[in-house]
Amino acid sequence: MSDNKVALVTGASRGIGAAIAERFAADGWDLTISSRGREALEQRAGELAERGAGRVEVIPADMTDPDAVEALAAGHVEAFGRTDALVINAGMGQKGAVADLPVRRFDRLYQVNVRAPYILLQSLIPTLRSTAEAHGAAKVIAVASITGVYPEPELSAYGATKAALISLCETFNLEESVNGVSATTIAPGYVDTDMSDWLKDELPGDEMITVGDVATIAHSVTQLSRFAVLPNVILTRPGSNLHRA
């Protein structure tokens, strides 16, 4: 078992996941990072080492492939034997009205945004429990969306999957928090990443929530004791957008 704190971060090659991994690296954590492409992950691993990370394991995984998700969890446990933080960040967005969005696209959203997190939670419960027993606490941080809390036009399918993720983590807390393992969902409005590029003619990226803002919340959650359960954090933009993405 590693002597350092250890995190598994999905969707870690860019955007929010990369920022969270960098924040943990600056604190000297060991990391498993995952996304679909190995080349981008290998480059990110080198950058994380330069920023202070301990050991960095690279495990590519497609979140639509349940076998790959299970293999990711198993590879992480084999590498480190410890999980102080599971960061469920890999996600998929899709815009479309209920009247128009094909159900096959909803199914793909569900695979990535709900089923894959469920598999990761289920697969890593033993190591999360053992880490909490040995080191005091273990945390799950799942990046959801404000659309999982407040409705947004044309984001019904996406918002429904993020609402499901929030509900999943809330029930996980009821079952696992007595073991020192708890989950926090982070539900931001629009964040300045490439997933928001489609909106930037209307809302400039420099007026969106930053990836650093989300990373700050994620890292802060890991500083909480086993006796502090933080179910959901909503990050909104200023002004009249408090209940909107």
Side-chain angles (χ1 to χ4, degrees):
M1 182 178 287
S2 175
D3 292 331
N4 293 335
K5 286 188 174 181
V6 180
L8 165 57
V9 185
T10 68
S13 63
R14 58 192 174 93
I16 292 172
I20 292 173
E22 287 177 9
R23 188 61 58 91
F24 286 4
D27 222 12
W29 287 51
D30 289 345
L31 297 165
T32 296
I33 57 173
S34 183
S35 67
R36 285 180 295 178
R38 178 174 289 278
E39 185 176 346
L41 284 174
E42 295 284 4
Q43 179 179 341
R44 183 64 59 186
E47 294 168 354
L48 291 170
E50 292 176 359
R51 284 170 169 78
R55 178 178 161 198
V56 182
E57 287 288 317
V58 167
I59 306 178
D62 182 343
M63 293 292 111
T64 66
D65 180 352
D67 293 336
V69 179
E70 290 179 5
L72 167 61
H76 169 77
V77 174
E78 182 179 355
F80 294 111
R82 174 174 175 174
T83 307
D84 297 84
L86 165 60
V87 181
I88 299 172
N89 168 71
M92 177 183 174
Q94 185 71 62
K95 182 173 178 281
V98 176
D100 304 318
L101 186 72
V103 71
R104 68 179 183 279
R105 295 188 184 177
F106 180 91
D107 289 341
R108 190 169 178 84
L109 282 171
Y110 190 87
Q111 286 178 322
V112 175
N113 295 349
V114 185
R115 188 178 69 172
Y118 187 89
I119 294 169
L120 283 172
L121 285 172
Q122 193 170 67
S123 299
L124 289 169
I125 280 175
T127 186
L128 288 164
R129 288 174 177 169
S130 63
T131 301
E133 183 176 359
H135 302 287
K139 302 296 183 180
V140 175
I141 299 119
V143 179
S145 167
I146 199 169
T147 62
V149 182
Y150 303 114
E152 187 78 2
E154 298 193 315
L155 293 176
S156 60
Y158 176 70
T161 62
K162 292 303 189 177
L165 179 62
I166 292 168
S167 177
L168 170 60
C169 289
E170 288 176 341
T171 306
F172 178 87
N173 285 336
L174 289 175
E175 297 171 355
E176 293 297 328
S177 58
V178 293
N179 298 316
V181 183
S182 64
T184 300
T185 46
I186 305 174
Y190 289 118
V191 179
D192 184 15
T193 69
D194 56 8
M195 280 185 68
S196 302
D197 283 349
W198 61 275
L199 186 66
K200 287 178 181 174
D201 287 342
E202 180 182 338
L203 177 65
D206 60 6
E207 295 181 14
M208 294 181 180
I209 296 162
T210 71
V211 293
D213 293 329
V214 183
T216 295
I217 298 298
H219 182 263
S220 297
V221 170
T222 69
Q223 308 305 297
L224 298 174
S225 76
R226 69 186 291 135
F227 303 108
V229 178
L230 181 62
N232 186 41
V233 178
I234 299 173
L235 287 179
T236 71
R237 293 184 295 111
S240 62
N241 299 289
L242 296 183
H243 294 162
R244 294 198 60 188

